């Protein structure tokens, strides 16, 4: 075959192959997978999942942090590049000061390129949760569960501390997170209900709070959650409301239904804290609010 004819035949074959490739849709260049979220978890025992096993071997034993806390569950769900500095007993002051020897300030984990920050904080400020539960439980035992001895003794003192001390500390902490990690999505969770709206049969055996003090403690917790929500609204953070989601899952609910373990006859090694189901529910609610898969 003459060279010219051969050349024409080869050109036609190349053109036909090109047309076929266009018709079938040429494969687009592979796109690089997006970088994983740079996620930092801050907060107290409700963030650390204190009381749930297994313990996180990378954390101080004093923090009682579990690998099944809601931040770990969120990180597993999103494939995030994850740093967990949550620690049981943390107060807002421990964001900027060491909580224990070998446990540095939690804000040291924040970076300018951090993408996501979650936290639960405020319940330990002014020893609100500890003081209220211990005080009301002790007085409840003394009155055999009758009356409202805690309310009669302490009045508005717990809620006053929340308004005058905890709320400003929360707002300052959220502003500092924004300063250190300006591009991060910041989500602060409210606390799931510890007690029901009213005393229910059998609750006193598990949580020795006098009948009239159950709504008193519930109101105190509502005041704390409102302070958290207000601080979030005023600093551009996302508030993850756990109130409606946790209704009916308080410490007085039956085993298998409750998300918070009671003071007595519970399953957690740390009482009056979320169990594994509670931590999972906090992760689910946070993921839903933030639109995470």
């Amino acid at each position: 075959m003459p060279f010219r004819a051969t050349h024409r035949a080869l050109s036609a074959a190349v053109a036909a192959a090109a047309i076929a490739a266009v018709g079938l849709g040429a494969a687009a260049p592979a796109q690089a997978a997006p970088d994983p979220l740079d996620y930092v978890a801050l907060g107290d025992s409700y963030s650390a999942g204190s009381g749930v096993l297994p313990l996180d071997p990378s954390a101080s034993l004093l923090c009682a942090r579990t690998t099944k806390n809601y931040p770990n569950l969120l990180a597993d769900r999103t494939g995030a590049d994850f740093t967990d500095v949550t620690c049981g007993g943390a107060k807002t002051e421990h964001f900027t000061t060491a909580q224990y020897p070998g446990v540095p300030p939690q804000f040291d984990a924040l970076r300018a390129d951090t993408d996501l920050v979650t936290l639960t904080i405020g319940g330990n400020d002014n020893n609100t949760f500890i003081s209220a539960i211990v005080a009301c439980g002790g007085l409840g035992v003394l009155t055999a569960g009758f009356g409202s001895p805690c309310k009669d003794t302490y009045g508005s003192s717990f809620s006053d501390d929340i308004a005058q001390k905890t709320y400003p500390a929360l707002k300052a902490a959220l502003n500092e997170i924004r300063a250190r990690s300006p591009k991060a999505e910041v989500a602060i969770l409210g606390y799931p209900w510890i007690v029901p709206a009213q005393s229910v049969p059998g609750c006193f055996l598990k949580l020795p709070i006098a009948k009239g003090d159950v709504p008193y403690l519930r109101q105190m917790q509502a005041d704390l959650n409102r302070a958290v929500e207000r601080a979030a609204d005023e600093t551009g953070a996302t508030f993850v409301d756990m109130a409606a989601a946790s209704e009916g899952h308080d410490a007085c609910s039956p085993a298998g239904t409750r998300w918070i373990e009671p003071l007595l006859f519970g399953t957690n090694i740390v009482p009056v804290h979320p169990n594994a189901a509670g931590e999972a529910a906090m992760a689910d609610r946070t993921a839903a609010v933030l639109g995470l898969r």
Side-chain angles (χ1 to χ4, degrees):
M1 180 182 293
F3 172 79
R4 185 173 296 177
T6 303
H7 180 71
R8 282 199 301 267
L10 182 60
S11 297
V14 170
I19 292 170
V22 172
L24 293 173
Q31 294 185 350
D35 291 335
L37 285 173
D38 188 332
Y39 171 26
V40 175
L42 310 171
D44 59 19
S45 53
Y46 275 55
S47 293
S50 299
V52 178
L53 297 176
L55 293 176
D56 183 347
S58 70
S60 167
L61 288 176
L62 295 171
C63 290
R65 186 166 76 217
T66 179
T67 56
K68 297 296 184 181
N69 60 6
Y70 77 78
N72 266 282
L73 298 177
L74 283 174
D76 289 346
R77 181 181 301 208
T78 60
D81 184 358
F82 179 48
T83 302
D84 189 355
V85 292
T86 60
C87 188
K91 304 177 182 181
T92 52
E93 66 187 66
H94 297 126
F95 286 158
T96 54
T97 61
Q99 184 173 349
Y100 302 115
V103 179
Q106 293 190 21
F107 278 176
D108 287 4
L110 297 175
R111 299 288 182 267
D113 60 351
T114 298
D115 298 308
L116 174 65
V117 178
T118 63
L119 63 157
T120 313
I121 199 74
N124 295 318
D125 283 37
N126 317 301
N127 296 317
T128 297
F129 274 174
I130 295 174
S131 296
I133 294 296
V134 170
C136 294
L139 290 170
V141 169
L142 290 176
T143 63
F146 294 101
S148 54
C150 199
K151 178 181 178 181
D152 298 342
T153 301
Y154 294 97
S156 65
S157 61
F158 296 123
S159 292
D160 290 345
D161 277 347
I162 290 168
Q164 297 167 12
K165 300 175 185 178
T166 306
Y167 155 70
L170 289 167
K171 186 173 179 180
L174 291 172
N175 277 327
E176 183 63 19
I177 293 171
R178 179 66 60 209
R180 293 179 184 235
S181 301
K183 72 171 190 173
E185 174 82 31
V186 180
I188 184 167
L189 283 70
Y191 291 90
W193 292 122
I194 296 174
V195 296
Q198 301 290 333
S199 182
V200 296
C203 184
F204 184 77
L205 295 176
K206 295 179 289 187
L207 199 63
I209 306 297
K211 184 175 181 179
D213 282 333
V214 170
Y216 172 70
L217 280 180
R218 171 91 166 202
Q219 183 59 53
M220 181 270 292
Q221 188 178 350
D223 291 340
L224 176 59
N225 281 336
R226 274 196 291 270
V228 174
E229 182 176 17
R230 180 184 173 194
D233 289 345
E234 294 176 356
T235 58
T238 298
F239 175 64
V240 179
D241 189 356
M242 290 300 303
S246 63
E247 196 70 69
H249 298 282
D250 54 77
C252 292
S253 299
T257 300
R258 62 181 178 245
W259 292 348
I260 306 295
E261 288 300 308
L263 190 62
L264 303 171
F265 309 111
T267 59
N268 275 20
I269 58 174
V270 180
V272 199
H273 278 73
N275 54 29
E279 290 292 325
M282 295 168 81
D284 288 343
R285 180 64 183 153
T286 304
V289 170
L290 295 179
L292 301 175
R293 293 185 179 182

